[in-house]
């Protein structure tokens, strides 16, 4: 017996006939269970729960019963309708869940078809490395200073104690600006920013500079005519080479790992005295492999120059060298990137091939 | 500087078992950086062998190999003949050869082991010179000892390493410009002693003791510098010695030639080799004159206007008045002092009488002459870094000794030694300064001990130490110079690591943060950041459609550019960014989106001369201002270039080529990222298409920059694909404009009411103009305006276009009625009508 037939052919059921009521309930439950879709269930619902369904008619008939029979009949019909109501709800939920499941299956796609409508761009790795180094300095309480790239010779050389006749001034491979007496160069180092900062900000002073510098080097795997330096300058009372070493060690361990320390080695720069070359523990062998190609077995890799600020530099910049001492350091950002990533051909850094930057994320 | 270890041992007690790497490691501690160790790369069994049998075996590949058995004595542990395959053919049975046995290592880390080859087990190799890192022996194959060392008494099994000098090592070090004295074995030996405590024997002491004093019979030398540079006499000491009757055709002995070669100098002739040898040994450059060519006394003076000299390199050189000359009798130039000699007085094979000049020339004078004449000679390199003025007599003595010993002849009794080099000045040193600067506790005894060790005289009678540096250390002038000596001799490794505590900084500046925001925003929209070298040419300016003259007036020219084709600094970032675009395209990347943030030159007015001034002096404020003012302005620009598709095609659908609107939108996004209102108007500026060029400005009218499609001529001239689009804007302008915090406004939460309107305007009227008047006409309740459609065609008159806008209104305090919105819309349309002639399309 199907619900559809029942709809066509309403059956009067007496509220006083328990068997008939029972039968109506059974009929309803069977119809609901037999409904294979939400549409069929809807039809079954109209037939067995709707206004003209046997139970509805039975319910309506209660009012006409004698008062003595009303209570029992009401109870019976109420229970029956409750049963039918619960059944339809259950079946409804079941069918809806089935439908939802089916739709989700039908809507599934191949998520491995990776689209490339508009790929993300990239920051240049060298810029990111400079940013990272600047952030480290800022985190230590330093500020970031800047200066021009076409610079006065006074800032690039004289203020930094590069005497006009000193061989060190010739060894810088400087780009000079015409005419010969222009007094302008392309800065060969970020150090002129030291002089600018001391003059503009006074002391005590803790500044770093991240910037591009120029040397007359032809482009090859290990040289670029333009490259990037991180410069640091601290001038305060009581600063020593130990503070220099402390700062460098912190930078090295933050950039290259906890066990990477620095080594100071006597050297010469006009703007520092005493001066040192700073070496980093070899990343590859950590100083444990005499055959290491990365460090030629020395266990150390050169990173940059540093030292205590020369008294002449302090004097030129109006700082009292008897009261204040300072330290300065400069290291290659491009080199730092190479150390960190194993990149080995400098040409890739400047050529701007978009595939180079694409290897990296936005955080170096 | 190349330091032959064998030579070094003559002056300092290098431990017997110390190898080149050990010497290098010691020297680096005192600041002489290792550049490399040469020689000594052959390790393990390399022995003399005697060929017992030799069987040629032709191979399928056409080569013939020799299967040999070689007697290597007991060197192989068995005493049995060694079976070896050899590809060379320049030897025969019974000849003595050099055999490397398994377990050995050849230069380049080439490890030798027994291996199967050509059907035999070849247990070693018969060696050629190049395989051992030796110079070509002319054999054209393997070494035959009978030819290479005819007089050597050797037998099979003998160690061939010392026999071939393969145990000799040279340590190459980098000498910093303050350490001129380390351009000599004497100086390096001293530093080795400082580093290790090994006993040092100063070779100059014994020589100086033997050098006779100056006397009347010496060759006349007059020092007549009437124009000293920076107050220093051009020559403050001149020692001259004469050796007569020498045979300069005598060959330079092997030991001397070997030392020279190892030190990196080519043996040339006895006279030249001896002077070079003395220079390498003691650091004192010498010059030898042929006495027969001299007419009068030697006069040292500055050059005269118009004077010329043909130098030893066969170049006729016009001399500069600052050049210091050695002259014959004051008239004829013989040499540029300390730089290079002249041809006329050159010592030749036929010379018999030689005058040895051992002089002390002023560093500045030599440096300037060497630079001016582009003659970076070995002598000049030493003089400009400072030569020990007290070494002159010792050096002359060594030269005289060697000439007599190797070339025969007699030394003149006459000895010249004129001039008086200034004695080093005493430096006052507070004995606590080293500790205060270095951060290591040094006692006064430590300090005094180190200073005496390096040769200083130290007077400890006062509160401060009075320190007189040794004559070979002209680099020591100040107390910090002495501090470095204490620190390096005591060891930089003693310096502790202490993090300083700055007073606390203010973080990045606004400008620094803005640059990051701009770059990040562009990268997030698919652009890759690149950077370029800022060098350009006039031609590039012309190609970009700039006026070459005007461009040059905005920039500076490099005097010594890497390429003569690119002598100018760029005035726009686009001018170098186009190269990067082209490079990417040529490498097969079709769709390119790149940007660069970089400095450009923006000079206005005449280029000023930037003053220089002596080191260590604080210039007057007006001088500093003038220096700063002479540095041309260098604003930071952003340039963008897009080529190919900005949205790629794929399974999802078609791609979309980048067009002018992408460039405009990117610039707008930069403004938006900084909460800046950037207006757009049409412009015609190169290098852009005159009809597709947008100009951006701030509300106050300040120019921000341009974007659009590149001019077709520019694309053509630069070899770029058609329709490349780009932008160039001044980021400093944006930084300056965005320095104020945005004032927050409340967000309206009542429903949005929209009204669409289509306006017909003349083609020449721009969307930006229409939008601006619609905005002002609609008033403050207008929340958003979007140009959602444009139309040209049958439905509108010729020369007109239709612009369809959606106006969205919202009030803070109520829901707007349709009535209100229609009124506002009508006002907006009316405003557009009166300002632009727009007519509402119905
Ligand atoms: Zn290593």
């Amino acid at each position: 017996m199907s619900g559809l037939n029942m709809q066509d052919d309403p059956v009067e059921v007496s509220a006083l006939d328990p068997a008939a009521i029972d039968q109506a309930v059974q009929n309803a439950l069977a119809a609901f269970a037999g409904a294979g879709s939400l549409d069929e269930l809807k039809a079954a619902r109209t037939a067995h729960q709707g206004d003209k369904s046997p139970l509805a008619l039975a319910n309506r008939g209660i009012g006409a019963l004698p008062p003595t029979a009303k209570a029992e009949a009401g109870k019976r019909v109420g229970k029956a309708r409750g049963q039918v109501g619960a059944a339809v709800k259950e079946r409804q939920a079941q069918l809806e869940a089935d439908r939802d499941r089916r739709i989700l299956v039908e809507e599934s796609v191949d998520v491995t078809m990776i689209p490339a409508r508009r790929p993300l761009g990239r920051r240049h790795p060298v810029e990111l490395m400079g940013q990272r180094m600047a952030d480290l300095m800022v985190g230590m309480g330093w500020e970031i200073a800047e200066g021009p790239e076409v610079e006065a010779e006074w800032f690039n050389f004289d203020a930094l104690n590069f005497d006009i006749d000193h061989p060190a001034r010739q060894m810088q491979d400087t780009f000079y600006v015409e005419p010969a007496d222009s007094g302008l160069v392309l800065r060969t180092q970020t150090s002129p920013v030291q002089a600018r900062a001391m003059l503009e900000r006074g002391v005590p002073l803790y500044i770093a500079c991240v910037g591009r510098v120029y040397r007359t080097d032809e482009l090859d795997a290990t040289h670029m005519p333009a490259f990037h330096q991180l410069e640091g300058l601290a001038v305060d009372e009581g600063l020593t080479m130990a503070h220099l070493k402390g700062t460098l060690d912190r930078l090295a361990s933050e950039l290259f790992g906890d066990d990477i320390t620095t080594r100071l080695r006597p050297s010469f720069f006009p703007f520092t005295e005493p001066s040192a070359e700073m070496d980093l523990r070899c990343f590859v062998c950590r100083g444990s492999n005499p055959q290491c190609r990365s460090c030629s077995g020395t266990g150390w890799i050169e990173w940059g120059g540093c030292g205590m600020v020369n008294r002449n530099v302090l004097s030129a910049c109006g700082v009292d060298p008897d009261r204040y001492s300072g330290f300065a350091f400069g290291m290659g950002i491009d080199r730092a990137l190479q150390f960190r990533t194993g990149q080995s051909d400098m040409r890739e850094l400047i050529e701007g091939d978009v595939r180079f930057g694409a290897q990296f994320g936005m955080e170096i | 500087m190349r330091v032959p270890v064998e030579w070094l041992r003559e002056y300092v007690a290098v431990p017997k078992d110390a190898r080149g790497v050990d010497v290098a490691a010691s020297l680096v501690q005192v600041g002489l950086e290792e550049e490399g160790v040469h020689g000594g790369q052959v390790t393990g069994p390399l022995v003399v062998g005697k060929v017992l049998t030799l069987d040629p075996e032709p191979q399928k590949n056409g080569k013939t190999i020799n299967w040999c058995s070689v007697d290597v004595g007991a060197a192989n542990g068995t005493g049995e003949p060694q079976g070896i395959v050899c590809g060379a053919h320049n030897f025969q049975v019974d000849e003595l050869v050099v055999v490397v046995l398994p377990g050995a290592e050849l230069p380049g880390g080439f490890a030798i082991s027994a291996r199967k080859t050509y059907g035999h087990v070849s247990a070693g190799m018969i060696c050629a010179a190049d395989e051992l890192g030796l110079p070509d022996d002319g054999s054209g194959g393997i070494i035959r000892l009978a030819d290479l060392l005819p007089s050597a008494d050797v037998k099979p099994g003998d160690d061939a390493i010392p026999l071939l000098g393969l145990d000799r090592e040279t340590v190459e070090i980098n000498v910093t410009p303050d350490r001129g004295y380390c351009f000599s074995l004497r100086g390096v030996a001293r530093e080795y002693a400082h580093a290790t405590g090994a006993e040092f024997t100063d070779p100059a002491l014994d020589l100086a003791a033997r050098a006779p004093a100056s006397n009347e019979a010496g060759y006349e030398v007059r020092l007549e510098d009437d124009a000293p540079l920076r107050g220093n006499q051009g020559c403050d000491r001149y020692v001259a010695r004469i050796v007569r009757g020498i045979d300069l055709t005598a060959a330079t002995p092997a030991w001397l030639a070997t030392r020279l070669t190892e030190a990196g100098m080519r043996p040339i002739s006895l006279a030249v080799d001896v002077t070079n040898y003395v220079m390498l040994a003691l650091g004192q450059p010498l010059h030898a004159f042929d006495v027969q060519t001299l007419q009068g006394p030697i006069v040292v003076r500055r050059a005269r206007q118009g004077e010329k000299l043909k130098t030893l390199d066969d170049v006729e050189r016009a001399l500069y008045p600052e050049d210091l000359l050695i002259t014959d009798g004051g008239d004829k130039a013989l040499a540029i002092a300390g730089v290079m000699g002249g041809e006329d007085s050159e010592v030749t094979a036929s010379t018999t009488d030689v005058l040895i000049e051992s002089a002390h020339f002023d560093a500045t004078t030599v440096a300037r002459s060497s630079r001016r004449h582009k003659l970076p000679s070995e002598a000049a390199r030493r003089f400009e870094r400072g030569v020990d003025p007290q070494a002159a007599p010792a050096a002359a003595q060594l030269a005289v000794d060697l000439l007599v010993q190797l070339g025969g002849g007699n030394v003149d009794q006459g000895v010249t030694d004129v001039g008086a080099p200034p004695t080093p000045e005493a430096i006052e040193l507070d004995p606590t300064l080293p500790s205060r600067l270095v951060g290591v506790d040094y006692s006064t005894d430590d300090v005094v001990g180190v200073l005496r060790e390096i040769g200083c005289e130290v007077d400890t009678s006062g509160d401060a130490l009075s320190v007189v540096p040794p004559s070979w250390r002209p680099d020591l002038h100040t107390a910090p110079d002495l501090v470095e000596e204490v620190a390096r001799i005591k060891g930089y490794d003693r310096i502790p690591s202490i993090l300083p505590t700055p007073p606390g900084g203010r973080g990045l500046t606004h400008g620094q943060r803005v640059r990051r925001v701009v770059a990040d925003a562009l990268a997030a929209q698919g652009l890759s950041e690149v950077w370029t070298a800022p060098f350009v040419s006039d031609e590039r300016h012309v190609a970009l459609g700039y006026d070459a003259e005007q461009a040059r007036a905005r920039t500076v020219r490099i005097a010594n550019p890497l390429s003569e084709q690119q002598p100018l600094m760029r005035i726009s970032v686009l001018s170098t960014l186009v190269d990067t675009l082209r490079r990417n395209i040529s490498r097969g990347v079709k769709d390119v989106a790149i940007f660069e943030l970089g400095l450009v030159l923006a000079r206005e007015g005449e280029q000023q001369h930037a003053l220089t001034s002596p080191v260590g002096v604080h210039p007057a404020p007006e001088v500093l201002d003038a220096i700063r003012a002479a540095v041309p302005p260098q604003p930071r620009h952003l340039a963008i270039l897009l080529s190919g598709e900005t949205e790629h095609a794929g399974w999802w659908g078609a791609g979309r080529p980048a067009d002018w609107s992408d460039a405009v939108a990117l610039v707008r996004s930069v403004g938006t990222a900084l909460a800046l209102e950037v207006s757009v108007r049409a412009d015609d500026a190169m290098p852009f298409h005159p009809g597709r060029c947008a100009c951006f400005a701030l509300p106050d009218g300040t120019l921000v920059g341009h974007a659009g499609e590149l001019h077709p001529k520019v694309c053509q001239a630069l070899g770029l694909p058609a329709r490349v689009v780009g932008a160039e804007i001044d980021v400093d302008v944006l930084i300056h404009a965005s320095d104020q915090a945005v004032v927050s406004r409340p967000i309206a939460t009542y429903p949005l009411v929209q009204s669409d309107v289509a306006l017909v305007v003349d083609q020449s009227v721009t969307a930006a103009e229409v939008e601006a008047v619609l905005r002002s006409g609609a008033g403050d309740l207008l929340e958003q305006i979007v140009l959602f459609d444009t139309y040209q065609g049958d439905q509108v008159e010729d020369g007109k276009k239709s612009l369809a806008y959606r106006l969205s209104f919202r009030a803070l305090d109520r829901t707007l009625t349709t009535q209100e919105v229609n009124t506002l819309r009508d006002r907006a349309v009316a405003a557009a009508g009166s300002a632009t002639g727009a007519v509402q399309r119905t």
Side-chain angles (χ1 to χ4, degrees):
Chain A
M1 174 174 358
S2 86
L4 288 172
N5 291 336
M6 303 264 301
Q7 194 179 21
D8 294 340
D9 186 17
V11 180
E12 191 98 4
V13 176
S14 169
L16 294 174
D17 182 353
I21 296 285
D22 241 23
Q23 188 56 51
V25 169
Q26 292 312 317
N27 287 350
L29 296 187
F32 296 157
S37 72
L38 284 164
D39 282 343
E40 285 179 19
L41 183 64
K42 195 176 169 194
R45 225 175 133 164
T46 310
H48 296 278
Q49 229 189 353
D51 287 350
K52 292 176 185 163
S53 65
L55 286 174
L57 295 175
N59 194 44
R60 233 176 281 152
I62 294 174
L65 291 179
T68 46
K70 262 183 185 170
E72 203 198 331
K75 215 168 157 188
R76 184 180 301 124
V77 173
K79 190 181 163 210
R81 287 172 55 141
Q83 245 181 309
V84 169
V88 83
K89 217 167 157 187
E90 191 188 338
R91 186 59 182 156
Q92 175 85 15
Q94 219 168 40
L95 286 173
E96 280 179 3
D98 287 350
R99 177 201 60 190
D100 290 353
R101 217 168 6 248
R102 196 179 60 245
I103 288 175
L104 292 182
V105 168
E106 283 167 1
E107 285 180 355
S108 72
V109 296
D110 179 359
V111 296
T112 65
M113 299 197 304
I114 296 166
R117 264 183 212 94
R118 189 163 191 178
L120 183 69
R122 293 292 196 286
R123 298 295 312 280
H124 195 284
V126 167
E127 294 289 333
L128 292 177
M129 193 68 195
Q131 229 169 268
R132 187 187 173 99
M133 291 165 90
D135 288 346
L136 278 172
M137 298 310 294
V138 167
M140 286 193 267
W142 297 48
E143 292 183 2
I144 308 299
E146 285 159 353
E149 292 174 8
V150 173
E151 179 61 289
E153 277 196 64
W154 188 83
F155 281 110
N156 196 68
F157 289 132
D158 303 322
L160 300 174
N161 197 41
F162 280 81
D163 187 277
I164 186 102
D165 288 310
H166 199 284
R169 189 149 168 171
Q170 312 312 320
M171 285 163 64
Q172 288 262 341
D173 305 324
T174 310
F175 283 112
Y176 290 94
V177 169
E178 275 190 357
D181 67 347
S182 70
L184 297 175
V185 296
L186 300 199
R187 68 177 178 194
T188 56
Q189 50 205 351
T190 36
S191 315
V193 177
Q194 286 186 20
R196 285 180 173 269
M198 271 189 274
L199 287 164
E200 280 154 29
R201 304 181 187 210
V203 288
L205 180 70
Y206 291 80
I207 56 114
C209 169
V210 172
R212 193 168 299 164
V213 303
Y214 299 90
R215 304 274 174 97
T216 56
D217 286 322
E218 295 281 353
L219 181 64
D220 63 27
T222 54
H223 296 89
M224 290 187 287
F227 56 100
H228 301 83
Q229 278 189 337
L230 172 75
E231 178 89 13
L233 169 73
V235 182
D236 205 339
E237 291 177 75
L239 289 180
T240 71
M241 287 182 89
H243 295 117
L244 165 64
K245 173 120 176 77
T247 306
L248 296 176
D249 281 346
R250 170 60 67 88
L251 267 178
S253 63
E254 290 297 328
L255 291 172
F256 308 119
D258 278 344
D259 53 345
I260 300 294
T261 54
T262 64
R263 171 180 80 165
L264 297 183
R265 176 158 61 72
S267 189
F268 170 80
F269 304 100
F271 41 97
T272 48
E273 191 70 38
S275 299
E277 201 77 56
M278 59 174 142
D279 295 337
L280 287 168
R281 243 307 161 221
C282 174
F283 310 101
V284 178
C285 73
R286 265 61 173 170
S288 65
N289 178 11
Q291 309 297 324
C292 176
R293 284 175 187 277
S294 178
C295 62
S296 320
T298 61
W300 297 96
I301 292 174
E302 198 174 312
W303 197 21
C306 58
M308 299 303 289
V309 182
N310 191 296
R311 288 174 63 89
N312 275 347
V313 175
L314 296 175
S315 298
C317 297
V319 176
D320 178 2
D322 290 322
R323 179 167 170 205
Y324 292 97
S325 59
F327 64 83
F329 58 85
M331 71 270 279
I333 296 171
D334 315 88
R335 293 261 290 154
L337 177 74
Q338 293 190 316
F339 296 158
R340 200 174 153 77
T341 64
Q343 198 276 341
S344 63
D345 188 332
M346 287 230 161
R347 284 172 292 209
E348 288 180 351
L349 301 183
I350 193 173
E351 280 175 343
D353 191 316
V354 294
R355 295 169 301 167
F356 173 64
Q359 304 171 80
F360 305 94
M362 301 277 248
E363 159 75 347
I364 286 286
Chain B
M1 171 79 186
R2 284 169 179 258
V3 182
V5 175
E6 171 269 335
W7 196 349
L8 188 69
R9 289 177 193 275
E10 188 178 330
Y11 306 144
V12 66
V14 179
K16 213 169 166 357
D17 57 353
R19 296 182 49 82
V21 287
D22 305 316
V23 172
S26 297
L27 292 176
V28 78
Q29 288 167 28
V30 286
L32 297 168
E33 187 194 348
E34 173 186 340
E35 297 272 285
V37 176
H38 308 282
Q41 290 164 288
V42 178
T43 58
L46 183 81
V47 300
V48 174
K50 184 175 185 182
V51 182
L52 300 177
T53 65
L54 184 159
D55 299 318
E57 296 181 355
Q59 302 296 315
K60 283 195 200 112
N61 61 11
K63 283 207 295 193
T64 299
I65 58 107
N66 293 312
W67 170 237
C68 311
S69 65
V70 185
D71 176 9
V72 293
N76 57 3
T78 64
E80 294 297 315
Q82 198 81 354
I84 297 175
V85 170
C86 183
H89 300 281
N90 65 326
F91 65 107
Q92 287 154 19
V93 170
D94 279 348
E95 280 194 300
L96 289 177
V97 294
V98 180
V99 177
V100 62
L101 297 175
E105 195 171 304
L106 297 186
F110 186 42
I112 302 298
S113 57
R115 61 193 184 94
K116 267 194 104 152
T117 180
Y118 295 111
H120 300 283
V121 173
S122 182
M125 221 169 85
I126 303 177
C127 298
D130 59 341
E131 290 162 345
L132 299 174
L134 292 170
D136 185 9
D137 60 348
S139 66
I142 56 111
I143 294 172
R144 295 191 313 263
L145 286 171
D147 290 348
L148 188 69
L149 302 167
S151 53
D153 175 24
V154 291
K155 59 179 190 309
D158 283 358
D159 188 355
I161 287 179
L163 188 69
L164 297 170
L166 290 169
D167 54 344
R168 296 177 67 95
E169 288 182 284
T170 303
V171 177
E172 188 173 358
I173 53 171
N174 178 27
V175 178
T176 53
D178 57 330
R179 298 269 164 77
Y181 68 103
C182 284
F183 278 113
S184 69
L185 268 295
R186 178 200 187 205
V188 175
R190 192 188 303 276
E191 287 297 334
Y192 182 83
H194 295 332
T196 61
E199 197 188 341
F200 169 64
T201 311
D202 186 349
L205 286 182
D206 173 55
L207 289 162
R210 288 197 287 115
S214 174
N215 56 43
E216 288 297 306
Y219 198 89
E220 188 185 353
V221 175
R222 297 207 301 265
L223 307 181
E224 296 180 352
D225 180 6
D226 52 8
L229 294 186
R230 307 179 76 167
N232 295 321
Q233 283 292 319
C235 175
D236 56 23
R237 185 170 201 176
Y238 199 110
V239 172
R241 301 284 300 273
I242 290 175
V243 185
R244 296 182 197 271
I246 324 176
D247 174 13
L248 287 179
T249 60
T252 299
W255 66 266
L256 198 155
T258 303
R259 282 184 171 185
L260 282 183
T261 306
E262 286 177 346
M265 297 190 90
R266 204 160 46 88
I268 292 167
S269 67
L270 185 58
V272 174
D273 295 349
V274 165
T275 53
N276 282 339
Y277 180 84
V278 173
M279 177 177 72
L280 289 168
L282 302 177
Q284 169 70 56
L286 302 179
H287 190 72
F289 295 99
D290 184 338
V291 178
Q292 309 285 344
T293 67
L294 302 179
Q295 310 293 319
I298 283 176
V299 178
V300 184
R301 61 159 172 82
R302 297 284 163 179
R304 295 179 188 134
Q305 204 65 52
E307 210 166 351
K308 286 195 163 68
L309 174 68
K310 192 167 196 183
T311 43
L312 285 173
D313 54 356
D314 205 27
V315 177
E316 174 95 8
R317 294 174 187 276
L319 301 172
Y320 299 82
E322 273 192 359
D323 289 336
L324 188 73
L325 302 182
I326 312 300
T327 66
D328 186 356
D331 302 323
K332 188 182 172 205
L334 299 175
I336 304 172
V339 179
M340 190 172 274
E343 239 178 36
D344 292 351
S345 55
E346 185 184 3
V347 169
T348 64
S350 60
T351 301
T352 55
D353 303 348
V354 169
L355 182 146
I356 295 290
E357 164 200 285
S358 179
H360 186 250
F361 299 117
D362 169 46
T364 301
T365 297
V366 173
R368 291 191 189 174
S369 290
S370 154
R371 216 153 65 224
R372 229 180 263 121
H373 294 289
K374 296 193 170 61
L375 279 175
S377 66
E378 289 289 325
R381 194 146 69 109
R382 286 168 175 79
F383 280 121
E384 65 177 317
R385 285 165 174 75
V387 165
D388 179 0
Q390 303 307 332
Q397 185 62 43
L398 180 55
V400 164
D401 288 351
L402 288 170
L403 283 175
V404 170
Q405 179 196 330
L406 306 174
N410 299 301
V411 189
D412 270 15
Q413 291 307 304
V415 174
T416 310
D417 186 353
V418 296
T423 47
E425 279 177 42
I427 303 165
E428 294 282 296
L429 175 67
D430 175 345
T432 68
L433 185 66
S435 300
R436 284 190 283 120
L437 269 187
V438 180
V440 175
D441 270 335
Y442 303 113
S443 68
T444 302
D445 285 350
D446 287 337
V447 173
V448 172
V450 166
L451 294 176
R452 288 191 171 139
E453 187 185 337
I454 63 162
C456 295
E457 284 170 29
V458 185
D459 178 354
T460 58
S461 59
D463 279 348
L465 305 175
S466 176
V467 184
V468 180
S471 59
W472 58 87
R473 293 298 303 271
D475 60 307
L476 301 179
H477 300 289
T478 66
D481 294 338
L482 301 178
V483 170
E484 179 173 287
E485 293 304 302
V486 174
R488 79 178 176 97
I489 301 296
K490 285 292 174 190
Y492 274 19
D493 54 349
R494 288 179 55 181
I495 300 171
S497 184
I498 300 170
L499 204 57
T501 49
R506 293 164 292 186
L508 295 177
T509 62
H510 169 67
Q512 288 157 357
R513 288 193 303 268
V514 164
R515 273 145 49 191
R516 291 188 181 188
V517 165
V518 169
D520 288 346
L522 293 171
Q525 294 176 84
L527 277 71
S528 293
E529 184 176 27
V530 302
W531 63 280
T532 56
F535 309 125
V536 295
S537 60
D538 280 326
E539 290 71 28
R540 175 54 53 88
H541 286 153
V542 171
L544 289 165
Y546 305 155
D547 180 282
E549 283 294 324
Q550 281 172 20
R552 240 180 288 152
R554 282 180 73 76
T555 189
V556 297
R557 177 179 288 266
I558 305 297
N560 54 331
L562 276 185
S563 157
E564 290 300 333
Q565 265 70 59
Q566 295 176 316
L568 301 174
M569 294 298 285
R570 67 180 175 195
I571 59 167
S572 73
V573 175
L574 275 180
S575 57
T576 55
L577 191 61
V578 289
D579 293 321
T580 303
L581 175 63
R582 211 164 36 187
R583 182 175 303 117
N584 274 287
I585 292 170
S586 76
R587 290 182 181 180
V589 184
K590 284 200 323 293
D591 308 318
V592 189
I594 50 177
F595 74 97
E596 175 177 2
L597 278 161
L599 299 191
V600 301
L601 268 285
R603 178 162 66 86
E604 282 166 2
E606 285 298 300
Q607 190 177 326
Q608 301 297 313
H609 162 75
L611 299 169
T612 54
S613 104
V615 301
V617 178
H618 184 48
E622 59 274 19
V623 174
L624 273 176
D625 287 345
I627 291 171
R628 286 198 190 97
V631 176
Q634 293 157 66
R636 191 175 300 267
H637 278 199
L638 162 69
I640 292 171
L641 282 174
L642 308 179
S643 179
E645 291 186 337
T646 185
E647 281 169 28
H648 300 176
W651 57 260
W652 53 85
R656 186 175 71 74
D659 65 23
W660 62 272
S661 69
D662 292 294
V664 171
L666 284 165
V667 174
R668 295 269 299 173
S669 79
V670 168
T672 308
L674 300 173
L676 282 175
E677 205 179 303
V678 178
S679 68
V680 187
R681 64 177 173 81
D683 201 354
D684 174 7
M686 289 306 278
F688 297 101
H689 185 308
R692 295 180 174 189
C693 170
C695 173
F696 302 90
L698 295 176
D700 67 0
T702 308
L703 176 69
V704 174
H706 292 89
E709 186 177 308
L710 294 194
H711 197 293
K713 275 191 200 158
V714 172
C715 293
Q716 196 183 19
L718 293 172
L720 297 174
R723 308 229 179 267
V724 168
V725 301
E728 172 118 14
I729 64 171
D730 187 331
V731 177
D732 287 348
V733 164
L734 299 182
I735 288 171
H736 183 73
S738 58
D739 206 5
Q740 296 293 320
V742 170
V743 178
S744 172
R745 283 169 314 200
I747 299 297
T749 54
Y750 285 88
L752 191 70
V753 186
Q754 294 180 327
S755 180
D756 292 352
V757 50
L759 299 174
V760 177
V761 292
D762 280 346
Q763 294 243 10
S764 60
V765 175
T766 66
E769 290 171 80
V770 175
E771 186 182 316
V773 281
L774 284 175
R775 271 183 190 283
S776 67
D780 291 344
L781 295 176
L782 180 72
E783 184 175 285
Q784 201 187 34
I785 179 167
V786 176
L787 175 64
F788 69 86
D789 195 21
T790 68
Y791 176 79
Q792 275 170 267
D794 295 347
Q795 309 291 315
V796 295
E797 263 179 74
D798 266 2
K800 303 262 184 190
K801 62 185 170 186
S802 166
L803 303 171
Y805 290 93
R806 173 158 298 153
L807 307 178
S808 304
F809 294 92
R810 183 139 50 184
L812 265 181
D813 53 354
R814 66 189 191 284
T815 302
L816 292 173
T817 64
T818 313
Q819 187 85 42
E820 277 178 291
V821 166
N822 287 347
T823 307
L824 294 172
R825 182 202 60 204
D826 292 346
R827 271 189 216 155
V829 170
S834 55
T836 67
V839 174
Q840 188 163 8
R841 199 171 150 210
T842 47

